Amino acid sequence: MQTDDLQNEDARVAYEAIMDAIVTQKLAPSQKVSENILSDMFGISRTVARNLIERLIAKHFLVSVSPRVTIVAPLTLLDIKQNFTLRKMLLPSIFSLTGPRADFEKLHRLNREIEAMKAMKDDETALAFLKKNKEMNLALCENVGYPLMLDWVRQLEDIAMRIYWLYLKTEQGLPYSSEQQGMTIDVMKSDEPGRIKTVIHDMLAQTEERILATIFRNEQFYTQDLRL
């Protein structure tokens, strides 16, 4: 369920704050959560907390392990491989369908904004950087014309935020450059579906390899959950 479905501004703000906490691991993978914990952390009522827990379980960011225990969804190597496998299946097709219908002026603007945000002084600026990157990725898909596809992409991009956070905090950047993003935009202008699919698939494969290499290279990730 999307944040647009949340019924009031307080709930929307709380939802975004909880999602940010999951991405930045202020709510760590496999950490126990409850109505009381969320109410205390985010200054919301237990009723709002209960509703948000239900929504986040439905979106697989929280997991109900028993009637009385809910945890933040684990973050493992399998989750990374699953996310990239699904994105390599879905995104090349979506980008090839979007092709020249994309809003290229918007895409170039977002790419310039991302390039200007490279200096990440703290978690707040790093998170803003990741959100702008997600906005860019969603903008690449927004004119595909298939609402269900866009729902899937949003879900995968939200999960990818958790993955990219590991890389961003470890390497102080994304596993691909704004120049590569610019190349993606230029390829989409070509309106050559086969070429678009190949370029997008290869870029996702390279991104996955870089993220996995960083994880294997750092002993702090030698645990079941990938925690910073």
Side-chain angles (χ1 to χ4, degrees):
M1 189 170 293
Q2 303 304 318
T3 54
D4 291 344
D5 297 326
L6 297 171
Q7 295 178 354
N8 59 66
E9 183 64 21
D10 288 343
R12 283 191 288 272
V13 170
Y15 179 93
E16 291 295 331
I18 294 170
M19 285 292 292
D20 290 349
I22 291 173
V23 168
T24 60
Q25 297 200 2
K26 290 181 173 63
L27 286 172
S30 296
Q31 178 179 335
K32 183 178 177 181
V33 296
S34 66
E35 295 171 18
N36 287 338
I37 289 172
L38 296 186
S39 179
D40 291 342
M41 282 187 69
F42 301 101
I44 56 179
S45 69
R46 290 188 59 183
T47 300
V48 171
R50 184 183 313 117
N51 290 338
L52 293 180
I53 286 173
E54 291 175 359
R55 294 176 189 276
L56 288 162
I57 288 173
K59 286 177 66 67
H60 308 290
F61 291 101
L62 299 181
V63 178
S64 178
V65 295
S66 77
R68 299 180 64 85
V69 178
T70 299
I71 63 171
V72 177
L75 183 60
T76 67
L77 283 174
L78 179 60
D79 295 309
I80 294 176
K81 292 177 180 178
Q82 177 173 258
N83 182 269
F84 275 97
T85 296
L86 291 171
R87 289 205 290 160
K88 284 184 289 186
M89 292 169 61
L90 186 62
L91 291 183
S93 294
I94 288 179
F95 282 33
S96 68
L97 288 169
T98 302
R101 291 184 294 166
D103 184 343
F104 292 107
E105 182 178 345
K106 177 180 179 179
L107 291 172
H108 282 298
R109 173 179 57 78
L110 288 170
N111 202 32
R112 290 192 299 270
E113 290 174 1
I114 290 170
E115 177 68 19
M117 294 174 72
K118 279 191 172 178
M120 287 163 279
K121 299 174 290 186
D122 49 36
D123 283 1
E124 183 177 352
T125 54
L127 182 60
F129 180 79
L130 268 192
K131 287 184 173 183
K132 184 64 68 174
N133 180 69
K134 184 178 78 169
E135 183 182 354
M136 171 79 169
N137 291 342
L138 293 176
L140 285 162
C141 304
E142 65 185 2
N143 290 322
V144 67
Y146 293 98
L148 183 56
M149 279 188 173
L150 285 176
D151 283 346
W152 290 340
V153 170
R154 291 187 188 100
Q155 176 76 9
L156 291 170
E157 287 297 324
D158 282 341
I159 295 170
M161 288 266 289
R162 301 183 73 195
I163 298 167
Y164 286 146
W165 183 258
L166 302 176
Y167 190 93
L168 185 63
K169 294 298 290 181
T170 305
E171 304 291 348
Q172 299 302 304
L174 287 173
Y176 51 83
S177 66
S178 56
E179 288 79 11
Q180 287 175 296
Q181 285 281 46
M183 181 186 69
T184 299
I185 297 169
D186 291 339
V187 167
M188 289 179 69
K189 291 179 181 178
S190 71
D191 196 21
E192 299 176 42
R195 182 181 174 216
I196 293 171
K197 286 182 179 180
T198 298
V199 169
I200 301 306
H201 182 279
D202 290 350
M203 184 174 174
L204 286 166
Q206 292 170 9
T207 299
E208 180 183 16
E209 288 176 6
R210 289 169 184 164
I211 289 172
L212 291 175
T214 291
I215 288 171
F216 292 139
R217 194 166 56 242
N218 287 274
E219 292 186 4
Q220 71 190 78
F221 296 128
Y222 291 0
T223 56
Q224 182 173 349
D225 269 321
L226 302 173
R227 298 194 187 197
L228 289 163

